[in-house]
Amino acid sequence: GVLALVLTACGSAVTPPASSQTVTAPSVSAAATPSLPPTATAKPTPKPTPKPTPVPVPPKPSDVTFEIQGGAPDAQGYPGDVTMTVTWRTPRTTGVEIRVFGVTQCFPAPADSGKDDGPCLVEHTPLPEAVRRLVADAPASAGVAKWTWPGWENIGSSVMMGPDGTTYESVVIAAYNASGHSIFAIAAPGYWCSDCTY
């Protein structure tokens, strides 16, 4: 009795029927996905930097005047100091400077013009740098430029004489900024005559 039961129990451990067996499917590796190149990110097209609008050259000074004051003899009879004043109406723009030049040469009318006298300087006369000397400057907004020199005695038809003895036959001014300068405006044209004696 007991032995038979044990055998039966042992026999029950035999391989179960095929219908109850679990079949494990072999693992299948997924096919390797080919790597794609990274997508290029489109860079935005930079906007062109606008060029700054150039500042225009200032206009020719208008309504220019020139005045000399002083020069009266002192107690010893020597000429006193002389103050020259130039004024203008326009331009009065910020960033514009007015420069005053003394012109060291007279430009009389040609001999065949039939004239015996006239201004030393007229409009459209070329003014090379060699005959111009800066004598004063001021902001255009001021509307006036002044300077004072020692007085002088007789200098003939010249307009003024500098401290170094240079005589000036006329006076011109121009407006300057970063872009250049205006046409020169005549402040004092000076004077010449063919038969003048001093």
Side-chain angles (χ1 to χ4, degrees), residues 37-63:
T39 303
T41 305
K43 294 183 179 179
T45 303
K47 293 182 179 180
T49 303
K51 294 182 179 180
T53 303
V55 178
V57 171
K60 175 183 176 181
S62 67
D63 296 341

mmCIF file of all heavy atoms in Angstrom, residues 37-63:
data_model
loop_
_atom_site.group_PDB
_atom_site.id
_atom_site.type_symbol
_atom_site.label_atom_id
_atom_site.label_comp_id
_atom_site.label_asym_id
_atom_site.label_seq_id
_atom_site.Cartn_x
_atom_site.Cartn_y
_atom_site.Cartn_z
ATOM 1 N N PRO A 37 21.418 62.182 -40.415
ATOM 2 C CA PRO A 37 22.223 63.374 -40.088
ATOM 3 C C PRO A 37 21.347 64.394 -39.376
ATOM 4 O O PRO A 37 20.148 64.485 -39.641
ATOM 5 C CB PRO A 37 22.682 63.895 -41.458
ATOM 6 C CG PRO A 37 21.689 63.342 -42.417
ATOM 7 C CD PRO A 37 21.256 62.012 -41.853
ATOM 8 N N PRO A 38 21.946 65.136 -38.442
ATOM 9 C CA PRO A 38 21.147 66.138 -37.727
ATOM 10 C C PRO A 38 20.588 67.174 -38.684
ATOM 11 O O PRO A 38 21.241 67.580 -39.641
ATOM 12 C CB PRO A 38 22.150 66.769 -36.753
ATOM 13 C CG PRO A 38 23.494 66.470 -37.341
ATOM 14 C CD PRO A 38 23.347 65.159 -38.061
ATOM 15 N N THR A 39 19.363 67.517 -38.429
ATOM 16 C CA THR A 39 18.728 68.509 -39.290
ATOM 17 C C THR A 39 19.373 69.870 -39.061
ATOM 18 O O THR A 39 19.477 70.327 -37.913
ATOM 19 C CB THR A 39 17.222 68.594 -38.975
ATOM 20 O OG1 THR A 39 16.661 67.298 -39.129
ATOM 21 C CG2 THR A 39 16.526 69.579 -39.906
ATOM 22 N N ALA A 40 19.841 70.502 -40.139
ATOM 23 C CA ALA A 40 20.491 71.806 -40.021
ATOM 24 C C ALA A 40 19.444 72.855 -39.686
ATOM 25 O O ALA A 40 18.396 72.920 -40.322
ATOM 26 C CB ALA A 40 21.201 72.161 -41.325
ATOM 27 N N THR A 41 19.740 73.650 -38.660
ATOM 28 C CA THR A 41 18.828 74.733 -38.281
ATOM 29 C C THR A 41 19.127 75.966 -39.127
ATOM 30 O O THR A 41 20.247 76.450 -39.153
ATOM 31 C CB THR A 41 19.001 75.088 -36.791
ATOM 32 O OG1 THR A 41 18.815 73.909 -36.012
ATOM 33 C CG2 THR A 41 17.999 76.163 -36.369
ATOM 34 N N ALA A 42 18.136 76.396 -39.831
ATOM 35 C CA ALA A 42 18.334 77.554 -40.705
ATOM 36 C C ALA A 42 18.562 78.806 -39.870
ATOM 37 O O ALA A 42 17.779 79.117 -38.976
ATOM 38 C CB ALA A 42 17.130 77.744 -41.613
ATOM 39 N N LYS A 43 19.672 79.498 -40.134
ATOM 40 C CA LYS A 43 19.967 80.727 -39.416
ATOM 41 C C LYS A 43 19.230 81.892 -40.084
ATOM 42 O O LYS A 43 19.201 81.986 -41.303
ATOM 43 C CB LYS A 43 21.470 81.011 -39.420
ATOM 44 C CG LYS A 43 22.278 80.000 -38.639
ATOM 45 C CD LYS A 43 23.756 80.385 -38.639
ATOM 46 C CE LYS A 43 24.578 79.373 -37.835
ATOM 47 N NZ LYS A 43 26.017 79.719 -37.835
ATOM 48 N N PRO A 44 18.645 82.755 -39.279
ATOM 49 C CA PRO A 44 17.953 83.888 -39.892
ATOM 50 C C PRO A 44 18.932 84.804 -40.603
ATOM 51 O O PRO A 44 20.037 85.032 -40.146
ATOM 52 C CB PRO A 44 17.316 84.602 -38.683
ATOM 53 C CG PRO A 44 18.146 84.161 -37.514
ATOM 54 C CD PRO A 44 18.608 82.768 -37.834
ATOM 55 N N THR A 45 18.511 85.270 -41.752
ATOM 56 C CA THR A 45 19.368 86.176 -42.521
ATOM 57 C C THR A 45 19.475 87.506 -41.782
ATOM 58 O O THR A 45 18.456 88.127 -41.474
ATOM 59 C CB THR A 45 18.777 86.425 -43.923
ATOM 60 O OG1 THR A 45 18.619 85.167 -44.569
ATOM 61 C CG2 THR A 45 19.686 87.336 -44.747
ATOM 62 N N PRO A 46 20.707 87.922 -41.431
ATOM 63 C CA PRO A 46 20.831 89.183 -40.689
ATOM 64 C C PRO A 46 20.386 90.369 -41.536
ATOM 65 O O PRO A 46 20.641 90.430 -42.740
ATOM 66 C CB PRO A 46 22.329 89.272 -40.375
ATOM 67 C CG PRO A 46 22.986 88.424 -41.418
ATOM 68 C CD PRO A 46 22.003 87.320 -41.735
ATOM 69 N N LYS A 47 19.702 91.272 -40.899
ATOM 70 C CA LYS A 47 19.258 92.466 -41.612
ATOM 71 C C LYS A 47 20.460 93.386 -41.834
ATOM 72 O O LYS A 47 21.290 93.550 -40.944
ATOM 73 C CB LYS A 47 18.199 93.205 -40.798
ATOM 74 C CG LYS A 47 16.899 92.434 -40.659
ATOM 75 C CD LYS A 47 15.869 93.249 -39.881
ATOM 76 C CE LYS A 47 14.559 92.480 -39.761
ATOM 77 N NZ LYS A 47 13.544 93.253 -39.003
ATOM 78 N N PRO A 48 20.579 93.936 -43.019
ATOM 79 C CA PRO A 48 21.720 94.834 -43.268
ATOM 80 C C PRO A 48 21.646 96.049 -42.358
ATOM 81 O O PRO A 48 20.585 96.610 -42.118
ATOM 82 C CB PRO A 48 21.555 95.228 -44.749
ATOM 83 C CG PRO A 48 20.098 94.999 -45.034
ATOM 84 C CD PRO A 48 19.675 93.836 -44.165
ATOM 85 N N THR A 49 22.815 96.405 -41.817
ATOM 86 C CA THR A 49 22.878 97.573 -40.941
ATOM 87 C C THR A 49 22.766 98.832 -41.794
ATOM 88 O O THR A 49 23.577 99.049 -42.695
ATOM 89 C CB THR A 49 24.208 97.598 -40.168
ATOM 90 O OG1 THR A 49 24.341 96.376 -39.440
ATOM 91 C CG2 THR A 49 24.259 98.788 -39.215
ATOM 92 N N PRO A 50 21.756 99.635 -41.545
ATOM 93 C CA PRO A 50 21.613 100.843 -42.371
ATOM 94 C C PRO A 50 22.769 101.809 -42.133
ATOM 95 O O PRO A 50 23.215 101.999 -41.005
ATOM 96 C CB PRO A 50 20.282 101.448 -41.877
ATOM 97 C CG PRO A 50 20.107 100.899 -40.501
ATOM 98 C CD PRO A 50 20.743 99.530 -40.511
ATOM 99 N N LYS A 51 23.267 102.359 -43.211
ATOM 100 C CA LYS A 51 24.347 103.331 -43.092
ATOM 101 C C LYS A 51 23.781 104.658 -42.591
ATOM 102 O O LYS A 51 22.702 105.076 -43.013
ATOM 103 C CB LYS A 51 25.037 103.549 -44.443
ATOM 104 C CG LYS A 51 25.772 102.322 -44.950
ATOM 105 C CD LYS A 51 26.477 102.617 -46.263
ATOM 106 C CE LYS A 51 27.246 101.393 -46.759
ATOM 107 N NZ LYS A 51 27.938 101.660 -48.046
ATOM 108 N N PRO A 52 24.502 105.284 -41.664
ATOM 109 C CA PRO A 52 23.984 106.562 -41.161
ATOM 110 C C PRO A 52 23.922 107.600 -42.268
ATOM 111 O O PRO A 52 24.781 107.655 -43.145
ATOM 112 C CB PRO A 52 25.011 106.958 -40.090
ATOM 113 C CG PRO A 52 26.253 106.206 -40.443
ATOM 114 C CD PRO A 52 25.798 104.921 -41.077
ATOM 115 N N THR A 53 22.878 108.377 -42.228
ATOM 116 C CA THR A 53 22.723 109.432 -43.224
ATOM 117 C C THR A 53 23.798 110.493 -42.998
ATOM 118 O O THR A 53 23.933 111.012 -41.884
ATOM 119 C CB THR A 53 21.338 110.091 -43.107
ATOM 120 O OG1 THR A 53 20.337 109.072 -43.247
ATOM 121 C CG2 THR A 53 21.151 111.161 -44.182
ATOM 122 N N PRO A 54 24.607 110.779 -44.005
ATOM 123 C CA PRO A 54 25.667 111.772 -43.810
ATOM 124 C C PRO A 54 25.098 113.147 -43.482
ATOM 125 O O PRO A 54 24.052 113.542 -43.998
ATOM 126 C CB PRO A 54 26.405 111.787 -45.163
ATOM 127 C CG PRO A 54 25.415 111.239 -46.146
ATOM 128 C CD PRO A 54 24.575 110.259 -45.378
ATOM 129 N N VAL A 55 25.800 113.840 -42.608
ATOM 130 C CA VAL A 55 25.371 115.187 -42.233
ATOM 131 C C VAL A 55 25.702 116.125 -43.393
ATOM 132 O O VAL A 55 26.831 116.122 -43.890
ATOM 133 C CB VAL A 55 26.102 115.651 -40.955
ATOM 134 C CG1 VAL A 55 25.694 117.070 -40.595
ATOM 135 C CG2 VAL A 55 25.800 114.688 -39.813
ATOM 136 N N PRO A 56 24.741 116.901 -43.854
ATOM 137 C CA PRO A 56 25.046 117.799 -44.975
ATOM 138 C C PRO A 56 26.002 118.908 -44.573
ATOM 139 O O PRO A 56 26.066 119.312 -43.406
ATOM 140 C CB PRO A 56 23.673 118.367 -45.352
ATOM 141 C CG PRO A 56 22.864 118.246 -44.104
ATOM 142 C CD PRO A 56 23.345 117.006 -43.413
ATOM 143 N N VAL A 57 26.745 119.387 -45.537
ATOM 144 C CA VAL A 57 27.639 120.530 -45.313
ATOM 145 C C VAL A 57 26.764 121.744 -44.984
ATOM 146 O O VAL A 57 25.713 121.944 -45.597
ATOM 147 C CB VAL A 57 28.489 120.801 -46.569
ATOM 148 C CG1 VAL A 57 29.255 122.110 -46.442
ATOM 149 C CG2 VAL A 57 29.437 119.649 -46.817
ATOM 150 N N PRO A 58 27.151 122.540 -43.992
ATOM 151 C CA PRO A 58 26.304 123.688 -43.629
ATOM 152 C C PRO A 58 26.214 124.715 -44.750
ATOM 153 O O PRO A 58 27.090 124.796 -45.614
ATOM 154 C CB PRO A 58 27.004 124.265 -42.392
ATOM 155 C CG PRO A 58 28.391 123.736 -42.429
ATOM 156 C CD PRO A 58 28.336 122.423 -43.142
ATOM 157 N N PRO A 59 25.153 125.502 -44.723
ATOM 158 C CA PRO A 59 24.984 126.518 -45.766
ATOM 159 C C PRO A 59 25.913 127.710 -45.549
ATOM 160 O O PRO A 59 26.460 127.913 -44.464
ATOM 161 C CB PRO A 59 23.516 126.942 -45.589
ATOM 162 C CG PRO A 59 23.244 126.705 -44.136
ATOM 163 C CD PRO A 59 24.027 125.478 -43.776
ATOM 164 N N LYS A 60 26.052 128.478 -46.580
ATOM 165 C CA LYS A 60 26.857 129.699 -46.518
ATOM 166 C C LYS A 60 26.246 130.662 -45.500
ATOM 167 O O LYS A 60 25.028 130.870 -45.482
ATOM 168 C CB LYS A 60 26.882 130.342 -47.913
ATOM 169 C CG LYS A 60 27.584 131.688 -47.985
ATOM 170 C CD LYS A 60 27.455 132.229 -49.406
ATOM 171 C CE LYS A 60 28.050 133.635 -49.525
ATOM 172 N NZ LYS A 60 27.910 134.166 -50.910
ATOM 173 N N PRO A 61 27.070 131.249 -44.628
ATOM 174 C CA PRO A 61 26.530 132.216 -43.667
ATOM 175 C C PRO A 61 25.824 133.374 -44.378
ATOM 176 O O PRO A 61 26.261 133.846 -45.432
ATOM 177 C CB PRO A 61 27.772 132.700 -42.915
ATOM 178 C CG PRO A 61 28.736 131.557 -43.031
ATOM 179 C CD PRO A 61 28.505 130.990 -44.401
ATOM 180 N N SER A 62 24.733 133.819 -43.771
ATOM 181 C CA SER A 62 23.950 134.900 -44.374
ATOM 182 C C SER A 62 23.979 136.153 -43.505
ATOM 183 O O SER A 62 24.236 136.093 -42.296
ATOM 184 C CB SER A 62 22.490 134.450 -44.567
ATOM 185 O OG SER A 62 21.858 134.256 -43.305
ATOM 186 N N ASP A 63 23.703 137.282 -44.140
ATOM 187 C CA ASP A 63 23.631 138.586 -43.466
ATOM 188 C C ASP A 63 24.862 138.824 -42.582
ATOM 189 O O ASP A 63 24.757 139.139 -41.394
ATOM 190 C CB ASP A 63 22.353 138.686 -42.623
ATOM 191 C CG ASP A 63 21.091 138.637 -43.474
ATOM 192 O OD1 ASP A 63 21.184 138.892 -44.689
ATOM 193 O OD2 ASP A 63 20.021 138.323 -42.932
#
